[in-house]
């Protein structure tokens, strides 16, 4: 009973931590006891799937918190190819958000996160296509690397490797690669360069985590023969917490806010089923570790450590956790003598955290600013306090990466805070803070990470750290802390942010796509931001000779760090159609800066900085547009309104409460953003107003929605059934079903050329059934599939037009795809 209670409070502690995402852990006595229990379990499980949200958080939570196993989740991608329900970030920026959401999820369910270098390029219908776009050799290398590095006893696949074509191609590919890697990881001839850092490893068992979903229905699954399946009863209820394991898992899953996966969880008995794929069979099908030594006896020289830690566990004093510190320090010292580097590293870190928790040892290094540039000195406030009667001494503080060691030899007396100020020299060679997988240019299917030791690391690699060496009972123990920045927010209290290393100057071309549809010039704004005080230089646009820019350079002067200035260039397009990528370059004291700083700041994840080349796309486009005024109703979030403004339209973004008959009188066209009928509940009560708007001679364009719950069944004035039909091959051939339809001819003549160069996918969630009032305009399909005719449907309603499209305008317009602009202009101008 005591054991159960302790686990409950440990999970409760995890819940507290997610609410205070960036604050340091401050565990209570019961949470500490749980961590001590975990010290004595030396077993591990690796769960493998394709994306953020694929993981079974119920199983991860159960294995980590109930069974005490080291439980890892290897997501082959970072979810870069999906959609975003909380903002307009897509592609790499969305991948950064989803990476952080996974890390927050693992804080709740107790798992450990890993990734491969695979890029989520978008929906794939079969694993063959997936493995053609991914570099199969690189991805399987990454899976083998994860197995050798994590050394799992058990591997669990989320998906079935034997059922290609029944689910996302990435899903099946993840299972295929996992099955193949199970034996490859133990073959020294496979990826031998990895063996400089790790050793071959053979997991003992591999399972497929099956469920009713793979059988087609719950009824079919209930009727299926399960005698060959292992059954884990994961529906544990914790009375003192008032939550089930499933509810804990739901809190973890609810971290996936960008995907709208908030979950209330479930209660009662629940079984997870595992089908054995490889390894020895189980007599006890409730124990995936059967026959595997998960005690300290599995490590040479570990038996004595296990005995000592068992004593710590048995004699733990909840009223005085510090009484365990002498034995914990001794166990740490014994650990350093082990030959087994794997468990030595894992358990050393665990023991250090427990010692700090038992003693209330609080160690922190806080920079005076949230950002800094290389080759400067920064002041860092140091706090060190021991809140226990155990005698400790702060021997030294070492700053990284400069490796400067400062001898302190300060006695850390009980509850007496030691506050120091250090001056850290940041090297001139210090890397800027950036998600490391974005540092080099990759391919459509792969990120480029050349340093083998960095492959799979989940988070941003931060170099600026402080190591506190604390002496306890004659044993020196290093405690590493990232240098952070914190401040007090009047409404949220203490806010922690990471320290970011930034360039001296960053620039941003304000319009990422600029459309030139006449011979007239355009004014292009560029924002300049100083990374430190007193930055003076010149700014240029690197532009081809057939384009003209005035002036050729602009002088700027920024006196204070963080100061911003906007300057303007006049750009003249060539006579003929052209598309160029323009780079912005700042020159300061002969040094060139070409990075744009992007900050991603949501409350549920850590603040993130992305640095990318400061550039934009300029398009001299043969396009005609009308003078229509557009009302845009935002859905899940996209950048289509900015693109429409670039085309010269007057666009107003309306809030749901602003949708009134009187307000709409000023507009010619209403456009709903992506997934608006999935996310904007108020639209259910605005349909009559919108349909009347169309009936009176105006145009309504509805962009794609998913088959998930719609806020109303009547999204159109005629029957319309949305499906999961999609065309994922962005260059799939297009057929014009109604070549003479005005939407293909006025004011621009649309040809197949307008569908060249589309990004990621042609479209998604096409309707599969529609009323005879609709006219289908386009048809296309992926290889081997039947034609999909629901990409663009037009219906005359009253005097106006209702139009539904699944075409991925939300991707194509921000990417500057010329044909998407031309077709959108025709939709807007339809008569």
């Amino acid at each position: 009973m005591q054991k159960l209670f302790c686990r409950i409070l440990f999970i409760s502690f995890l819940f507290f931590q997610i609410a205070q995402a960036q604050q340091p852990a401050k565990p209570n006595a019961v949470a500490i006891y749980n961590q001590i229990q975990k010290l004595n379990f030396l077993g591990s499980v690796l769960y493998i799937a394709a994306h953020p949200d694929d993981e079974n958080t119920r199983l991860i939570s159960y294995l980590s918190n109930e069974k005490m196993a080291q439980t890892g989740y290897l997501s082959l991608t970072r979810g870069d190819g999906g959609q975003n329900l909380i903002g307009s970030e897509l592609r790499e920026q969305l991948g950064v958000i989803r990476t952080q959401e996974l890390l927050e999820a693992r804080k709740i369910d107790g798992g450990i996160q890993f990734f491969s270098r695979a890029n989520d390029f978008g929906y794939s219908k079969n694993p063959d296509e997936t493995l053609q776009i991914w570099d199969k050799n690189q991805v399987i290398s990454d899976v083998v690397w994860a197995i050798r590095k994590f050394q799992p006893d058990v591997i669990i696949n989320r998906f079935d490797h034997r059922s290609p074509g029944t689910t996302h191609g990435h899903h099946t590919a993840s299972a295929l690669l996992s099955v193949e890697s199970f034996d490859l990881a133990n073959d020294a001839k496979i990826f031998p360069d990895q063996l400089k850092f790790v050793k071959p490893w053979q997991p003992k068992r591999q399972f497929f985590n099956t469920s009713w979903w793979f059988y087609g229905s719950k009824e079919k699954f209930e009727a299926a023969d399960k005698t060959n399946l292992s059954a884990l009863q994961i529906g544990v209820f914790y009375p003192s917490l008032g939550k089930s394991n499933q509810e804990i898992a739901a809190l973890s899953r609810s971290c996936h806010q960008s995907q709208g996966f908030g979950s209330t969880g479930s209660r009662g008995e629940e079984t997870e089923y595992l089908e054995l794929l490889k390894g020895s069979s189980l007599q006890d099908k409730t124990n995936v570790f059967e026959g595997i030594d998960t005690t300290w006896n599995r490590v040479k020289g570990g038996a004595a450590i296990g005995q000592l830690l068992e004593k710590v566990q048995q004699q733990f004093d909840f009223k005085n956790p510090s009484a365990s510190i002498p034995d914990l320090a001794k166990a740490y010292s014994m650990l350093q003598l082990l030959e087994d580097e794997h468990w030595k590293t894992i358990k050393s870190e665990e023991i250090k955290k427990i010692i700090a928790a038992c003693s209330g040892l609080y160690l922190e290094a806080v920079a005076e600013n949230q950002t800094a540039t290389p080759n400067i000195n920064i002041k860092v406030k140091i706090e060190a306090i021991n809140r226990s009667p155990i005698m400790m001494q702060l021997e030294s503080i070492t700053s990284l990466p400069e490796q400067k060691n400062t001898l302190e030899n300060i006695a850390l007396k009980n509850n007496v805070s030691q506050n120091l100020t250090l001056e850290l020299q940041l090297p001139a060679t210090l890397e800027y803070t950036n998600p490391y997988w974005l540092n080099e240019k990759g391919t459509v299917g792969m990120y480029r990470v050349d340093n083998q030791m960095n492959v799979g690391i989940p988070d941003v690699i931060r170099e600026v750290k402080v190591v506190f060496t604390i002496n306890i009972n004659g044993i020196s123990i290093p405690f590493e802390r990232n240098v952070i920045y914190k401040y007090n927010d009047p409404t949220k209290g203490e806010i922690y942010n990471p320290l970011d290393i930034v360039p001296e100057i960053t620039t941003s071309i304000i319009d990422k796509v600029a459309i030139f549809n006449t011979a007239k010039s355009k004014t292009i704004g560029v924002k300049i931001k100083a990374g430190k005080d007193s930055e003076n230089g010149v700014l240029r646009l690197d532009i081809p000779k057939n384009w003209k820019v005035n002036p050729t350079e602009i002088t700027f002067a920024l006196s204070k760090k963080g100061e911003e200035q906007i300057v303007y260039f006049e750009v003249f397009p060539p006579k003929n159609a052209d598309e160029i990528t323009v780079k912005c370059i700042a020159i300061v004291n002969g040094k060139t800066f070409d990075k744009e700083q992007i900050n991603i700041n949501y409350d549920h994840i850590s603040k993130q900085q992305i640095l990318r080349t400061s550039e934009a796309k300029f398009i001299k486009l043969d396009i005609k547009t009308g003078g229509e005024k557009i009302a845009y109703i935002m859905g899940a979030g996209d950048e289509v309104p900015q693109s429409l403004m670039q085309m010269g339209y007057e666009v107003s973004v309306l809030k749901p409460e602003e949708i009134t008959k009187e307000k709409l009188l000023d507009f010619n066209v209403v456009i709903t953003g992506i997934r608006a009928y999935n996310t904007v509940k108020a639209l259910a009560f605005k349909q009559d107003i919108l349909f009347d708007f169309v009936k009176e001679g105006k145009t309504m364009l509805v962009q794609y929605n998913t088959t998930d719950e719609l806020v109303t069944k009547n999204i159109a004035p005629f029957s319309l059934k949305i499906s999961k039909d999609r065309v994922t091959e962005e260059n799939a051939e297009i057929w014009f079903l109604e070549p003479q339809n005005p939407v293909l001819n006025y004011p621009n003549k649309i040809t197949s050329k307008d569908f060249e160069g589309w990004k990621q996918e042609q479209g998604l969630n096409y309707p599969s059934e529609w009323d005879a009032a609709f006219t289908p305009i386009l048809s296309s399909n992926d290889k081997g599939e039947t034609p999909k005719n629901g990409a663009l449907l037009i219906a005359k309603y009253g005097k106006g037009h209702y139009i539904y499209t699944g075409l991925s305008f939300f991707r194509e317009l921000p990417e500057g795809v010329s044909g998407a602009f031309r077709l959108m202009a025709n939709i807007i101008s339809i008569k």
Side-chain angles (χ1 to χ4, degrees):
M1 186 64 186
Q2 184 188 52
K3 179 179 178 181
L4 176 62
F5 178 72
C6 293
R7 288 180 184 172
I8 292 165
L9 290 191
F10 172 66
I11 296 166
S12 179
F13 162 69
L14 290 177
F15 293 163
F16 174 78
Q17 288 303 303
I18 195 66
Q20 309 286 335
Q22 302 312 310
Q23 293 193 10
K26 299 170 185 175
N28 58 35
V30 179
I32 296 169
Y33 180 72
N34 176 272
Q35 294 171 18
I36 291 172
Q37 287 178 304
K38 202 160 189 172
L39 279 176
N40 282 313
F41 190 93
L42 278 68
S44 54
V45 180
L46 182 61
Y47 200 90
I48 298 180
H51 310 107
D53 86 352
D54 285 344
E55 79 275 26
N56 185 338
T57 53
R58 297 181 302 275
L59 196 51
I60 290 175
S61 174
Y62 174 80
L63 291 168
S64 178
N65 296 313
E66 177 68 15
K67 295 301 181 183
M68 299 296 188
Q70 296 280 326
T71 308
Y73 174 45
L74 171 58
S75 175
L76 295 190
T77 76
R78 295 176 184 266
D80 329 74
Q83 284 85 53
N84 184 359
L85 286 183
I86 59 173
S88 60
E89 298 90 352
L90 292 174
R91 294 301 303 143
E92 291 83 1
Q93 293 181 47
L94 179 58
V96 169
I97 291 172
R98 291 189 173 178
T99 293
Q100 293 301 314
E101 288 177 339
L102 272 181
L103 292 171
E104 295 302 325
R106 298 294 80 81
K107 291 178 184 178
I108 290 179
D109 59 37
I112 304 164
Q113 188 61 49
F114 303 103
F115 293 98
S116 84
R117 289 171 290 181
N119 190 339
D120 179 3
F121 56 83
Y123 194 86
S124 174
K125 293 181 177 178
N126 63 75
D128 291 337
E129 180 198 43
T130 297
L131 295 174
Q132 287 173 3
I133 297 175
W134 288 351
D135 183 324
K136 180 184 176 182
N137 189 63
Q138 282 193 31
V139 182
I140 203 166
S141 165
D142 292 354
V143 178
V144 168
W145 170 254
I147 293 171
R148 288 172 171 174
K149 192 174 181 181
F150 189 58
Q151 297 186 12
D153 299 303
V154 175
I155 291 177
I156 301 176
N157 298 339
R158 184 61 176 125
F159 298 103
D160 189 352
H161 67 290
R162 301 158 296 194
S163 56
T166 60
T167 182
H168 197 319
H170 297 182
H171 293 168
T172 310
S174 72
L176 285 166
L177 296 174
S178 176
V179 169
E180 192 172 343
S181 298
F182 183 83
D183 295 312
L184 293 180
N186 198 38
D187 188 341
K189 297 189 294 296
I190 301 299
F191 308 119
D193 288 349
Q194 295 182 2
L195 303 183
K196 301 172 188 175
F197 314 105
V198 292
K199 64 181 182 180
W201 182 257
Q202 182 60 65
K204 306 302 186 296
R205 294 188 181 94
Q206 185 172 52
F207 296 94
F208 160 45
N209 180 201
T210 190
S211 70
W212 70 263
W213 189 89
F214 296 95
Y215 285 72
S217 71
K218 292 182 179 179
E219 291 73 22
K220 289 181 180 179
F221 187 55
E222 287 175 2
D225 180 7
K226 301 184 184 66
T227 55
N228 292 326
L229 302 181
S230 295
L232 304 182
Q233 303 303 321
I234 58 90
V236 182
F237 175 63
Y238 303 108
S240 297
L241 184 63
K243 286 184 173 64
S244 65
N245 185 67
Q246 302 99 307
E247 289 171 315
I248 296 164
L251 288 171
S252 172
R253 190 165 181 79
S254 295
C255 291
H256 297 296
Q257 292 187 21
S258 66
Q259 304 190 66
F261 283 157
S263 175
T264 56
S266 61
R267 290 146 292 281
E269 294 182 352
E270 186 168 347
T271 306
E272 285 291 338
Y273 292 95
L274 303 177
E275 178 188 352
L276 183 68
L277 300 178
K278 292 189 175 185
S280 56
S281 59
L282 294 174
Q283 298 300 312
D284 177 4
K285 292 187 177 180
T286 66
N287 180 15
V288 297
F289 291 101
E290 183 182 77
I292 300 171
D293 189 353
T294 58
T295 73
W296 278 98
N297 291 329
R298 76 182 296 172
V299 177
K300 181 181 177 182
I305 298 173
Q307 292 171 4
L308 179 59
L309 292 176
E310 184 66 30
K311 172 191 169 188
V312 170
Q313 180 177 328
Q314 292 175 355
Q315 297 182 357
F316 184 75
D317 185 346
F318 287 85
K319 293 184 178 180
N320 180 23
S322 64
S324 298
I325 292 175
D327 281 340
L328 287 168
K330 182 178 178 182
Y332 174 85
S333 179
M334 294 167 68
L335 266 170
Q336 308 319 301
L337 302 177
L338 293 180
E339 297 176 9
D340 188 317
E341 290 294 330
H342 177 72
W343 287 110
K344 178 170 76 172
T345 300
I346 291 172
K347 296 303 178 181
S348 291
E349 288 304 311
E350 289 182 2
I351 286 181
K352 286 196 288 186
K353 290 177 182 177
I354 294 170
I355 289 172
C358 285
S359 62
L361 180 62
Y362 190 84
L363 305 169
E364 191 170 72
V366 181
E368 58 185 342
N369 291 295
Q370 200 263 314
T371 62
T373 58
N375 200 32
I376 66 167
N377 292 344
I378 62 170
K379 290 183 179 179
V380 175
K381 292 182 178 179
I382 300 293
E383 180 181 357
I385 183 170
N386 163 30
R387 292 169 287 181
S388 77
I390 302 298
M391 292 302 299
M392 298 185 185
Q393 187 173 41
L394 174 59
E395 290 185 340
S396 65
I397 298 175
T398 304
S399 57
L400 304 177
E402 63 176 329
Q403 295 285 350
K404 181 181 178 182
N405 186 274
T406 305
L407 295 177
E408 301 293 344
N409 292 318
I410 298 173
L412 296 181
K413 298 178 181 178
N414 186 8
N415 212 30
V416 178
S417 181
Q418 297 294 330
N419 297 285
L420 312 168
T421 299
L422 294 183
E423 193 165 278
L424 274 57
Q425 171 65 45
L426 301 183
T429 56
L430 187 61
E431 295 281 346
Y432 300 136
T433 302
N434 199 43
Y436 70 90
W437 59 94
L438 300 180
N439 284 340
E440 303 292 338
K441 185 174 179 59
T443 65
V444 172
M446 298 298 299
Y447 286 120
R448 179 180 169 185
V449 180
D450 296 330
N451 185 338
Q452 180 65 58
M453 290 300 292
N454 291 346
V455 171
I457 292 176
D459 207 352
V460 175
I461 297 171
R462 300 186 182 276
E463 298 181 76
V464 185
K465 304 172 184 287
V466 168
V467 179
F468 300 80
T469 300
I470 308 293
N471 188 290
I472 304 172
N473 283 359
I475 300 167
S476 294
I477 304 176
F479 294 85
E480 185 177 277
R481 300 288 185 267
N482 286 338
V483 175
I484 54 92
Y485 171 73
K486 68 178 183 180
Y487 64 96
N488 185 70
D489 181 274
T491 57
K492 299 177 182 178
E494 192 174 47
I495 302 294
Y496 281 72
N497 280 327
L499 171 69
D500 287 333
I501 307 304
V502 302
E504 295 173 27
I505 289 291
T506 53
T507 64
S508 174
I509 302 174
I510 294 173
D511 293 318
K512 295 296 180 282
V513 175
I515 302 295
F516 296 77
N517 52 5
T518 69
K520 293 181 180 179
S521 64
K522 275 200 167 186
T523 300
I524 301 297
V526 178
K527 182 188 292 184
I528 314 166
K529 183 177 180 180
K532 67 176 188 177
D533 293 345
S534 301
E535 291 296 295
N536 306 319
V538 296
L539 192 69
R540 297 173 185 162
L541 293 182
D542 185 4
I543 197 165
K545 291 182 179 179
N546 61 324
W547 292 68
K548 304 298 179 185
V549 61
N550 183 44
T552 56
E553 66 179 32
I554 296 175
T555 302
F556 64 86
L558 301 172
S559 60
K560 293 293 183 182
K561 175 180 179 177
E563 183 179 349
E564 296 180 351
Q565 179 183 351
I566 298 178
V567 299
Y568 297 93
F569 293 91
E570 188 176 9
V571 175
F572 300 82
K575 293 181 180 180
N576 300 323
D578 196 12
E579 294 185 10
I580 61 170
T581 298
V582 177
K583 187 176 177 181
C584 185
I585 298 172
I587 302 173
V588 178
N589 297 325
K591 187 175 180 181
T592 298
F593 298 92
D594 64 355
K595 297 298 181 186
E596 175 182 6
Q597 181 190 51
I598 300 167
N599 288 312
I600 297 176
N601 201 0
Y602 291 100
D603 286 344
H604 70 298
I605 60 174
S606 170
K607 182 176 182 291
Q608 298 295 300
Q609 171 181 279
I610 300 175
L611 295 174
R612 68 180 184 187
T613 302
S614 181
E615 59 186 19
K617 192 172 187 178
F618 291 178
I619 305 173
K620 175 60 167 62
L621 182 59
D622 178 17
I623 185 174
K624 300 179 180 66
T625 58
E628 292 87 359
K629 294 178 65 177
I630 299 171
Y632 199 92
I633 302 168
M634 195 65 73
D638 58 62
E639 296 182 350
V640 172
Q642 296 92 310
S643 298
L644 297 174
M645 286 184 245
Q646 270 294 320
M647 296 168 71
Y649 293 111
E650 184 178 336
V651 182
S652 298
V653 177
L654 297 189
K655 297 177 181 178
E657 61 268 22
E658 295 178 305
I659 303 172
T660 64
K661 182 175 182 179
E662 294 73 23
K663 185 76 171 179
L664 295 182
L665 288 174
D666 293 334
F667 299 99
N668 310 103
V669 180
V670 166
I671 301 177
T672 62
I674 61 172
R675 300 177 72 170
Y677 285 96
N678 298 121
T679 60
V680 184
K681 293 182 179 179
L683 280 178
F685 310 103
K686 300 294 183 178
Q687 290 300 84
D688 289 343
I689 296 171
L690 294 170
F691 294 161
D692 286 345
F693 172 83
V694 178
K695 191 183 292 185
E696 292 168 6
K698 307 295 183 68
T699 298
M700 180 177 179
L701 171 62
V702 176
Q703 296 182 84
Y704 97 96
N705 293 273
T706 69
T707 56
D708 296 336
E709 186 175 347
L710 297 166
V711 299
T712 175
K713 294 180 180 179
N714 302 314
I715 66 171
F718 307 103
S719 62
L720 184 72
K721 183 179 179 181
I722 298 170
S723 74
K724 293 185 178 181
D725 287 349
R726 60 204 298 161
V727 178
T728 63
E729 297 169 16
E730 56 268 25
N731 294 318
E733 185 176 359
I734 290 279
W735 293 275
F736 295 157
L737 301 175
E738 293 284 331
Q740 303 309 313
N741 193 285
V743 80
L744 297 176
N745 294 279
Y746 177 82
N748 304 286
K749 179 66 176 178
I750 302 300
T751 70
S752 58
K753 187 177 180 180
D754 287 300
F755 290 89
E756 295 176 0
W758 282 50
K759 307 294 184 183
Q760 186 164 323
E761 58 197 344
Q762 272 188 7
L764 61 168
N765 291 102
Y766 293 168
S768 58
E769 298 176 22
W770 51 84
D771 190 271
F774 283 103
T775 299
I777 305 298
L778 305 171
S779 179
S780 66
N781 57 270
D782 290 325
K783 291 183 180 70
E785 294 195 355
T786 57
K788 304 295 184 290
N789 299 339
L792 181 60
L793 302 174
I794 300 176
K796 187 76 176 174
Y797 183 65
K799 299 177 183 178
H801 292 87
Y802 176 95
I803 303 172
Y804 188 95
T805 184
L807 293 171
S808 59
F809 285 110
F810 73 103
R811 295 194 189 280
E812 313 312 322
L813 296 179
E815 289 282 353
V817 176
S818 299
F821 282 100
R822 286 165 48 82
L823 180 57
M824 177 60 80
N826 283 17
I827 292 172
I828 291 170
S829 294
I830 193 167
K831 302 297 183 186

